Amino acid sequence: MPSPHPAPTPQDYQALSEFRYQLRRFLRFSEDAAQAEGLTGLQYQLLLHIKGNPERDWALVGELAERLQIQQHGTVALVTRCEAAGLVQRVRSETDRRQVQVRLTARGEACLKRLAALHRAQLQSLSGVFQVAHISAFNDQL
Amino acid sequence: MPSPHPAPTPQDYQALSEFRYQLRRFLRFSEDAAQAEGLTGLQYQLLLHIKGNPERDWALVGELAERLQIQQHGTVALVTRCEAAGLVQRVRSETDRRQVQVRLTARGEACLKRLAALHRAQLQSLSGVFQVAHISAFNDQL
DNA sequence: CGCTGTTATGTCACAACATGATGTAATTGG
DNA sequence: CCAATTACATCATGTTGTGACATAACAGCG
C-alpha cells in the first residue's frame, strides 16, 4: 500500500485551490485592516487572543503561543514588538514569578475594538465562502 | 459618527479569537504536512494553484500572485525557490515573450498529489469547524 | 515607422517573522 | 535540599513579503 489516500481528482485540486485562495483573501483583508491601524496581522491576532479569553483580561506568553500556533520564543519577540508599539504591557505574576501576564493598554484596546468590528462585518459578509470550497466540492461526494 | 460599526461584544471577541485559532491550526497542519515533503506551505500553495486551474496545466507569475494574494515580485522569488527545488519549471510564452509559464515537474506533481490527498482528508474531518466560529456566534444574532 | 504608455517579469535592500540552540530564573517533586 | 520541570528570554539564521527600482516586450497612435 504505497498511499493511504485515493488520488485527488481534478475537482479536488480545483476546490483546494479555491479554498486557499479565499483563505488568503480573508487574511489579506485582515492584514490590510491591521496595517491601516499601524499594526501587523500578527499583532492584531495577539490582541484578539488576549481579549478573547472569557475568563481573564490578560494572557500568559505560553497561552498566546498556543493560540497563535507558534513557538513560545516567537511569541516573546511578538510581545516585545507589541509592547514597544504601546499596545500591550508585561506584568509579572504575583503568584508565580516565572509567569508574565500580557495585558492590553488603552491604546491596544482601542485599536482592537475598531479592528474587531471590521472583522466581524467582513466575516458576516463572507458567510458561506469558506464552506463553499469544502462542502460543495467534498461533502457532495460523500 | 466616529465609527460606522457597533462596538463588538465579549462574545464577538471570543468568536473571532476562536476562529483565528482554528484557522491557525489548519495552517499549522498544512505547513507541517508540506515540510514533511520537504517544501514550505507557500510552495505547496503555489503548486496547488498551478494544478487547480481547470483550463491549463500551467500558470503565469501574475496569476499565481493573485491566487496567493502576494505581490508579483514576491511570487517571482517564490517561483525561483520552487524551480531551485525542482518542483516547477519556467517556460517563456511563444505568443507573448514577456510572459513566463510556470509548469509542474514530475517531482512537483508527485509532491502535490500526496499533499492534496492529505489536505482533502483533513478538510473533510474539519467540516464545520470554520463555520462554527462565524455561524454560531455571528449568524445567531441576525 | 517611431514614440509613449502599459504590462510582465525580475533585482535589490530591508523589516517582520519563525525556528533551532541555548540560557536563566522560579517552581515542583521526591 | 537537590533534580527536574516550567516559563520566559536571547541570539544567530533562514524564509518571507514589501517598496523602490529596472528591464524587456507588447499596444496604440500620430
Side-chain angles (χ1 to χ4, degrees), chain B residues 59-78:
Chain B
L60 300 176
V61 174
E63 293 171 343
L64 292 170
E66 162 63 21
R67 297 292 283 188
L68 294 168
Q69 290 284 297
I70 57 178
Q71 303 286 338
Q72 288 204 356
H73 53 277
T75 310
V76 167
L78 178 59

Side-chain angles (χ1 to χ4, degrees), chain A residues 45-87:
Chain A
Q45 287 181 71
L46 185 108
L47 304 188
L48 182 60
H49 289 312
I50 296 174
K51 187 82 175 181
N53 188 322
E55 299 169 11
R56 306 184 243 107
D57 60 348
W58 49 267
L60 301 177
V61 173
E63 293 170 344
L64 291 170
E66 162 63 20
R67 297 291 282 188
L68 294 168
Q69 290 283 300
I70 56 179
Q71 303 285 339
Q72 287 206 357
H73 53 279
T75 311
V76 167
L78 179 59
V79 168
T80 300
R81 288 191 296 269
C82 284
E83 198 173 29
L87 299 168

Side-chain angles (χ1 to χ4, degrees), chain B residues 48-66:
Chain B
L48 182 59
H49 288 312
I50 296 174
K51 187 83 175 180
N53 189 322
E55 299 169 11
R56 304 183 245 108
D57 61 348
W58 49 267
L60 300 176
V61 174
E63 293 171 343
L64 292 170
E66 162 63 21

Side-chain angles (χ1 to χ4, degrees), chain A residues 108-119:
Chain A
E109 181 117 21
C111 282
L112 176 59
K113 182 175 171 181
R114 289 186 292 268
L115 285 172
L118 278 177
H119 279 76

Side-chain angles (χ1 to χ4, degrees), chain A residues 106-131:
Chain A
R107 174 165 136 64
E109 181 117 21
C111 282
L112 176 59
K113 182 175 171 181
R114 289 186 292 268
L115 285 172
L118 278 177
H119 279 76
R120 188 186 52 179
Q122 175 76 358
L123 280 176
Q124 279 171 345
S125 81
L126 280 183
S127 264
V129 164
F130 293 134
Q131 289 100 312

Side-chain angles (χ1 to χ4, degrees), chain A residues 14-53:
Chain A
Q14 290 165 31
L16 286 169
S17 169
E18 186 64 21
F19 177 62
R20 295 307 284 256
Y21 178 45
Q22 296 303 333
L23 220 48
R24 287 293 302 148
R25 299 237 303 173
F26 169 71
L27 294 174
R28 164 65 41 202
F29 160 84
S30 180
E31 184 77 30
D32 290 347
Q35 299 232 341
E37 286 282 343
L39 22 166
T40 69
L42 251 191
Q43 291 172 349
Y44 159 66
Q45 287 181 71
L46 185 108
L47 304 188
L48 182 60
H49 289 312
I50 296 174
K51 187 82 175 181
N53 188 322

Side-chain angles (χ1 to χ4, degrees), chain A residues 49 67, chain B residues 13-23 132-133:
Chain A
H49 289 312
R67 297 291 282 188
Chain B
Y13 288 115
Q14 290 165 30
L16 286 169
S17 169
E18 186 64 20
F19 178 61
R20 294 307 285 256
Y21 178 46
Q22 296 302 333
L23 220 47
V132 167

